[in-house]
């Protein structure tokens, strides 16, 4: 089994990748955005099919838009649009359809992260089919089955949190911070701080 | 080669490169990550900082070629980031790392994958019904 890369090798590779991503794919490096697109596949396909079904029927377009608005923004937004209940609050929803990259492209991107990990694991001799992620986690969870449940909840926190914060270690941490975004710097400080506190707590719990 | 096929290939290459890099650094190793998070080993943190510094330097030097990313401050930043950070420490994975862990043969990462999927779906539901602020976009 070979050693991990040194800090400067890893930094150069990760930094170079962050730059290349912008130049090659014309979008910032960010994985949670790809997750959102892939997880919204059904809605996006439904929208696409609905769009294909439209001819020149403006009534059909209007009613579909009304339905979509209602589903995304709620009745409040319709009142606001019609002027029946004026409100100053900005009402917006997450919209997964914002660039030309298709769901398929995002899915391929995610799939090849797996392939990259697999190739590297085979190359370095780290590949092994394992039911245990870490002895520490199993010990802390007091059993293998319980550790899997913890991973499920941990994963849910990651999925929910990254969508709520609109970014993760790559989107906020690498791309956002590198571009001097205040929102990303704040997000990175908080998620890193939260992770440090939780990891320290877990470490102390294992020792006690 | 059509533009669409080219885009698929480019996404595949960039995904592959990201997977190789993350596995090479060791971000998918649960215990290695915890050594970074408990501040007992600075190697991965130094890599992360160097990566940000390098990218920041290039982005600043060539603003013409690399358009600025729009990241807005919204009410979800603080609670979302805190939730993500704590989840990251628990499962040892962020949305990219989970795929690398699977590539390493770590079957428990399937639970993390399922959890992330459910979390994304749940947030979509909660956001549309109760939150309704503009979160900007993350590379979409």
């Amino acid at each position: 089994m070979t050693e991990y890369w040194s800090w400067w090798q890893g930094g150069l590779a990760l930094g170079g990748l962050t730059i290349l991503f912008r130049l090659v794919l014309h979008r910032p490096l960010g994985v949670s955005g790809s997750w959102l697109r892939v997880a919204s596949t059904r809605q996006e396909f439904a929208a696409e099919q609905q769009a294909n079904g439209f001819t020149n029927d403006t009534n059909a377009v209007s009613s579909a838009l009304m339905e979509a608005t209602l589903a995304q923004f709620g009745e409040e937004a319709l009142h606001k649009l019609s002027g029946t209940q004026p409100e100053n609050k900005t009402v917006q929803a997450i919209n997964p359809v914002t660039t030309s990259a298709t769901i398929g492209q995002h899915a391929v991107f995610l799939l090849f992260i797996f392939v990259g990990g697999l190739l590297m694991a085979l190359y370095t001799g780290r590949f092994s089919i394992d039911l245990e992620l870490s002895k520490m986690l199993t010990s802390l969870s007091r059993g293998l089955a319980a550790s899997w449940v913890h991973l499920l909840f941990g994963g849910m926190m990651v999925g929910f949190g990254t969508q709520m914060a609109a970014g993760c270690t790559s989107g906020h941490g690498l791309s956002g911070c590198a571009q001097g975004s205040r929102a990303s710097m704040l997000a990175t400080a908080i998620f890193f701080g939260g992770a440090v506190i939780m990891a320290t707590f877990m470490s102390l719990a294992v020792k006690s | 080669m059509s533009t669409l096929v080219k885009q698929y290939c480019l996404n595949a290459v960039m995904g592959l490169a990201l997977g190789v890099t993350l596995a090479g650094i060791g971000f998918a190793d649960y215990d290695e990550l915890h050594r970074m998070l408990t501040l007992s080993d600075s190697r991965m943190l130094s890599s992360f900082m160097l990566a940000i510094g390098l990218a920041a330097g290039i982005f600043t030097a060539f603003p013409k070629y690399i358009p600025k990313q729009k990241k807005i401050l919204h009410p979800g930043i603080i609670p979302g980031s805190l939730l993500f950070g704590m989840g990251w420490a628990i499962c040892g994975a962020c949305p990219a790392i989970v795929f690398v862990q699977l590539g390493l043969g770590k079957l428990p990462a399937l639970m993390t994958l399922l959890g992330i999927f459910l979390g994304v779906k749940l947030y979509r539901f909660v956001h549309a019904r109760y939150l309704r602020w503009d979160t900007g976009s993350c590379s979409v």
Side-chain angles (χ1 to χ4, degrees):
Chain A
M1 195 185 293
T2 56
E3 290 287 307
Y4 288 124
W5 295 350
S6 64
W7 72 272
W8 62 268
Q9 287 172 323
L12 289 179
L14 206 53
L17 206 58
T18 308
I19 298 159
L20 263 180
F21 216 87
R22 291 305 301 253
L23 293 174
V24 174
L25 294 181
H26 307 292
R27 67 175 198 255
L29 174 62
V31 181
S32 53
S34 294
W35 263 96
L36 173 63
R37 292 295 303 274
V38 173
S40 312
T41 301
R42 213 178 60 179
Q43 290 94 325
E44 291 205 23
F45 275 139
E48 202 175 293
Q49 278 182 341
Q50 214 168 11
N52 290 339
F54 291 144
T55 50
N56 289 326
D57 188 349
T58 49
N59 284 336
V61 175
S62 300
S63 60
L65 278 174
M66 194 64 82
E67 269 178 43
T69 308
L70 197 64
Q72 276 277 49
F73 301 99
E75 278 184 39
E76 214 175 286
L78 285 183
H79 286 304
K80 195 184 168 195
L81 281 173
S82 61
T84 53
Q85 194 183 327
E87 214 178 309
N88 289 331
K89 197 173 131 193
T90 307
V91 179
Q92 291 191 52
I94 44 174
N95 177 14
V97 192
T98 53
T99 67
S100 56
T102 63
I103 301 168
Q105 287 165 15
H106 284 285
V108 162
F109 170 63
L110 295 179
L111 179 70
F112 273 81
I113 296 176
F114 162 76
V115 176
L118 176 65
L119 290 178
M120 195 61 179
L122 292 171
Y123 177 72
T124 56
R126 288 185 191 281
F127 181 82
S128 69
I129 299 288
D130 213 337
L131 290 173
E132 189 180 54
L133 190 60
S134 154
K135 285 198 182 349
M136 183 193 117
L137 181 67
T138 309
S139 160
L140 193 65
S141 307
R142 291 179 184 155
L144 197 61
S147 77
W148 281 50
V149 177
H150 283 151
L151 289 173
L152 179 70
F153 282 101
M156 284 181 78
M157 288 166 77
V158 170
F160 195 95
T162 51
Q163 294 307 315
M164 192 178 208
C168 56
T169 37
S170 49
H172 276 313
L174 287 170
S175 296
C177 285
Q179 295 213 328
S181 159
R182 278 184 295 172
S184 290
M185 287 179 190
L186 177 67
T188 306
I190 291 170
F191 74 64
F192 200 82
V196 165
I197 291 167
M198 181 55 86
T200 306
F201 173 76
M202 288 168 74
S203 171
L204 291 173
V206 166
K207 282 174 191 165
S208 64
Chain B
M1 192 187 285
S2 75
T3 314
L4 192 65
V5 175
K6 192 178 158 194
Q7 280 303 312
Y8 271 96
C9 292
L10 289 175
N11 274 281
V13 169
M14 294 312 288
L16 191 78
L18 185 62
V20 166
T21 303
L22 293 174
I25 296 172
F27 274 112
D29 184 327
Y30 193 93
D31 297 321
E32 196 72 12
L33 180 78
H34 269 256
R35 276 191 282 277
M36 176 185 87
L37 293 177
T38 51
L39 309 177
S40 50
D41 181 24
S42 63
R43 186 186 59 85
M44 290 204 302
L45 187 60
S46 304
S47 285
F48 196 71
M49 301 300 278
L50 176 61
I52 295 173
L54 176 68
I58 298 293
F59 289 161
T60 310
F62 305 101
K64 247 184 172 179
Y65 302 100
I66 302 166
K68 196 151 182 157
Q69 178 189 8
K70 285 176 190 166
K71 283 279 186 190
I72 54 170
L73 274 167
H74 59 81
I77 290 267
I78 294 174
S81 300
L82 193 62
L83 203 60
F84 163 48
M86 292 166 88
W88 184 28
I90 291 170
C91 61
C94 67
I97 294 298
V98 67
F99 292 104
V100 183
Q101 285 180 341
L102 285 170
L104 287 163
K106 303 287 181 194
L107 295 183
L110 286 171
M111 293 303 278
T112 312
L113 189 81
L114 177 66
I116 295 176
F117 181 78
L118 293 175
V120 172
K121 295 292 270 186
L122 182 65
Y123 182 74
R124 229 181 114 70
F125 173 82
V126 170
H127 183 95
R129 275 151 191 83
Y130 306 110
L131 304 177
R132 297 183 195 159
W133 56 65
D134 183 8
T135 57
S137 66
C138 178
S139 80
V140 288

